[in-house]
Amino acid sequence: MTLETLSESRSFGGTQGVYRHKSQATGTDMTFAVFMPEVSAHARVPVLWFLSGLTCTHENAMTKAGAQQWCAEAGIAMVFPDTSPRGDEVADDTAYDLGKGAGFYVDATQDPWKPHFQMWQYIVHELPELVSDNLAIDRDRMGITGHSMGGHGALTIAMTHPDRYKSVSAFAPIANPSESEWGQKQLSAYLGDERATWRAHDATILMAERGYPGDVLIDQGTADQFLDKLKPEALAHAMMSRRQPGQFRMQPDYDHSYFFVQTFMPDHVFWHAERLI
């Protein structure tokens, strides 16, 4: 696949790039960003995938998460994909939490979403191959993290493919979408009303049924304005019941914003680096 460079900027000794390509998975042009540390000029480096939340594009976390400094220091790359397909031909909804900007990291089986909303296939299969073919990342050393809807995606993808992702963390993930306003609406739209098909995309259910072979790191703010939609207590209970190794940290007075993500980004980057390098 041909990769079009939209921009490349020097950042903390490395390169922050933005790229576009024609996706076979979504049938659309897709834009994504990658930070490559300076050491990647000489060797392939581990890569941390950052999946963003509702309404975001590749740009939000790229500019607001403050990850480049810490990735440069750790010597790892970070990829910032988009959250959904884009374009005039792509189905959308008037609500902010369905359609464009709200792909939920699933492969839609229902119309009108099915033709383009194949975000699981895109994130797990197509984009890693494209990035590794064009940039010096090591696909044998991949970790995954994300914020909100992206935290949901990171956890479900890692627990489904632990062989692909050697580390996983999340910032304020949508933790139990089958039982949440943020989840029931989207999963029924994309996957249909049969709740059994939702189970593969619910981090709490996956944690209870299979867990993750390594340890996990989750940060959640106590002042998060969306706690009733995120349902962190369900995932925490599943982790405890399973005796899943890891940390579930409730951070006093932090909300759902990128200020929260910025604050704990160094912890997450170096936590992943310890497991990937």
Side-chain angles (χ1 to χ4, degrees), residues 2 13 27 90 93 113 136 156 166 171 174 188 197 221 248 250-251:
T2 302
V90 176
D93 191 87
W113 316 105
T156 58
K166 308 304 182 186
F171 299 83
I174 299 175
S188 62
T197 64
F248 196 115
M250 296 298 296
Q251 302 292 358

Side-chain angles (χ1 to χ4, degrees), residues 132-204:
S132 65
D133 283 349
N134 288 273
L135 298 170
I137 70 161
D138 185 350
R139 287 183 65 187
D140 291 328
R141 294 185 291 166
M142 298 199 307
I144 191 166
T145 188
H147 175 226
S148 193
M149 179 183 72
H152 139 80
L155 291 169
T156 58
I157 287 171
M159 283 189 279
T160 304
H161 294 288
D163 56 325
R164 292 175 179 261
Y165 302 94
K166 308 304 182 186
S167 57
V168 60
S169 71
F171 299 83
I174 299 175
N176 192 195
S178 296
E179 303 300 330
S180 170
E181 180 183 338
W182 275 356
Q184 292 177 337
K185 173 182 179 179
Q186 294 85 355
L187 295 178
S188 62
Y190 297 142
L191 303 178
D193 293 331
E194 179 53 60
R195 291 175 67 94
T197 64
W198 303 358
R199 298 178 67 85
H201 299 285
D202 189 308
T204 294

Side-chain angles (χ1 to χ4, degrees), residues 37-76:
E38 187 173 16
V39 68
S40 66
H42 310 290
R44 288 190 174 270
V45 295
V47 57
L48 179 56
W49 295 81
F50 187 97
L51 305 186
S52 293
L54 290 166
T55 76
C56 290
T57 68
H58 70 280
E59 187 174 14
N60 297 74
M62 180 186 76
T63 59
K64 296 179 180 179
Q68 289 85 351
Q69 177 181 356
W70 313 115
C71 287
E73 186 173 334
I76 65 175

Side-chain angles (χ1 to χ4, degrees), residues 2-271:
T2 302
L3 191 64
E4 178 186 359
T5 300
L6 300 183
S7 67
E8 289 185 334
S9 301
R10 196 71 168 161
S11 177
F12 294 98
T15 301
Q16 178 59 66
V18 179
Y19 308 98
R20 183 166 57 207
H21 72 108
K22 292 188 180 297
S23 167
Q24 295 178 2
T26 68
T28 66
D29 287 347
M30 295 293 289
T31 301
F32 65 97
V34 184
F35 174 76
M36 296 296 294
E38 187 173 16
V39 68
S40 66
H42 310 290
R44 288 190 174 270
V45 295
V47 57
L48 179 56
W49 295 81
F50 187 97
L51 305 186
S52 293
L54 290 166
T55 76
C56 290
T57 68
H58 70 280
E59 187 174 14
N60 297 74
M62 180 186 76
T63 59
K64 296 179 180 179
Q68 289 85 351
Q69 177 181 356
W70 313 115
C71 287
E73 186 173 334
I76 65 175
M78 183 172 280
V79 181
F80 307 90
D82 203 346
T83 56
S84 77
R86 310 278 176 174
D88 293 341
E89 73 279 17
V90 176
D92 200 9
D93 191 87
T94 56
Y96 74 94
D97 58 356
L98 187 67
K100 295 178 186 177
F104 248 73
Y105 304 104
V106 302
D107 287 342
T109 60
Q110 306 298 304
D111 291 328
W113 316 105
K114 182 179 178 179
H116 301 295
F117 281 75
Q118 302 296 311
M119 290 302 294
W120 183 282
Q121 175 71 20
Y122 178 69
I123 295 296
V124 174
H125 300 289
E126 183 178 38
L127 192 54
E129 180 177 349
L130 175 68
V131 174
S132 65
D133 283 349
N134 288 273
L135 298 170
I137 70 161
D138 185 350
R139 287 183 65 187
D140 291 328
R141 294 185 291 166
M142 298 199 307
I144 191 166
T145 188
H147 175 226
S148 193
M149 179 183 72
H152 139 80
L155 291 169
T156 58
I157 287 171
M159 283 189 279
T160 304
H161 294 288
D163 56 325
R164 292 175 179 261
Y165 302 94
K166 308 304 182 186
S167 57
V168 60
S169 71
F171 299 83
I174 299 175
N176 192 195
S178 296
E179 303 300 330
S180 170
E181 180 183 338
W182 275 356
Q184 292 177 337
K185 173 182 179 179
Q186 294 85 355
L187 295 178
S188 62
Y190 297 142
L191 303 178
D193 293 331
E194 179 53 60
R195 291 175 67 94
T197 64
W198 303 358
R199 298 178 67 85
H201 299 285
D202 189 308
T204 294
I205 293 174
L206 291 178
M207 180 60 68
E209 292 182 347
R210 65 179 71 176
Y212 182 73
D215 51 349
V216 301
L217 173 62
I218 298 172
D219 277 310
Q220 172 64 63
T222 65
D224 194 312
Q225 58 271 44
F226 302 115
L227 280 173
D228 60 329
K229 295 181 173 67
L230 301 173
K231 297 192 177 298
E233 65 281 356
L235 180 58
H237 178 72
M239 288 179 65
M240 185 64 70
S241 297
R242 188 177 183 82
R243 297 185 173 91
Q244 169 69 44
Q247 299 179 57
F248 196 115
R249 309 191 303 189
M250 296 298 296
Q251 302 292 358
D253 302 323
Y254 282 91
D255 61 15
H256 200 69
S257 71
Y258 269 102
F259 296 111
F260 158 68
V261 175
Q262 285 177 6
T263 300
F264 299 103
M265 180 59 74
D267 289 0
H268 284 246
V269 169
F270 290 116
W271 188 88

